[in-house]
Amino acid sequence: MTLLRTLACLFATSWAISSAQAQAPQDLPTIKLGAGIYNIRAQVAQTDEQRMTGLMHRPTMPNNDGMLFVFNEATQQCFWMKNTLLPLSAAFIADDGTVVNIEDMKPQTLDSHCSKKPVRFVLEMNVGWFAKRGIKAGSQLTGEPFKR
């Protein structure tokens, strides 16, 4: 019985450690983007794993921070908010930095929010960030990833 209890404790400990690691927010490289006169500090999610985790498990995010999701090819991109604690706005962005559409997303839902055209970039910011600054479909973002 002692061996069984030891194994159970080891399993429980390893499960708790892996769960804690899985729920830790990502620490990704950042880049600077521009939206008119506004500066954005965006973490860059460019691998499948980074994009799947996104902004999950973050209790807060600084006002001008966000996450830029970079995909290999332009397709219709759809996002949902499972395990995401923050309400977010997602800007779907063309290769040249033009905002195609912006969707507000409620936390911890499986509602799908999609680009209206094929895009390679999606920028998530705190909900309302774009609207408060007058950034909408047709607005131009600047920065290294956008071809000019």
Side-chain angles (χ1 to χ4, degrees):
M1 196 64 113
T2 304
L3 179 61
L4 188 55
R5 282 187 190 159
T6 302
L7 290 174
C9 284
L10 286 173
F11 175 75
T13 301
S14 101
W15 180 82
I17 289 170
S18 68
S19 292
Q21 288 172 342
Q23 293 182 5
Q26 299 188 86
D27 185 25
L28 301 173
T30 61
I31 60 171
K32 291 181 182 180
L33 301 175
I37 63 170
Y38 304 102
N39 293 315
I40 299 166
R41 183 177 157 265
Q43 288 192 331
V44 180
Q46 53 192 354
T47 68
D48 288 341
E49 184 179 348
Q50 292 168 346
R51 289 188 298 259
M52 283 190 307
T53 302
L55 290 168
M56 289 181 179
H57 309 295
R58 292 181 191 221
T60 62
M61 185 167 61
N63 192 39
N64 291 317
D65 282 15
M67 183 170 284
L68 181 67
F69 296 80
V70 180
F71 295 89
N72 295 330
E73 59 186 69
T75 61
Q76 183 182 42
Q77 305 297 339
C78 294
F79 280 56
W80 46 276
M81 299 283 286
K82 181 180 178 184
N83 298 322
T84 305
L85 307 174
L86 304 168
L88 298 171
S89 294
F92 298 92
I93 306 165
D95 281 357
D96 68 355
T98 302
V99 175
V100 171
N101 61 295
I102 298 172
E103 299 288 328
D104 289 341
M105 305 183 295
K106 293 181 182 176
Q108 301 186 36
T109 64
L110 296 177
D111 300 340
S112 191
H113 304 275
C114 301
S115 61
K116 292 185 177 179
K117 295 180 184 176
V119 297
R120 286 191 325 117
F121 302 103
V122 181
L123 177 61
E124 288 184 341
M125 301 290 289
N126 286 311
V127 73
W129 191 92
F130 299 105
K132 288 175 188 169
R133 290 157 182 82
I135 298 162
K136 55 189 178 217
S139 294
Q140 192 72 38
L141 301 185
T142 58
E144 184 181 326
F146 309 123
K147 298 174 184 170
R148 295 296 296 163

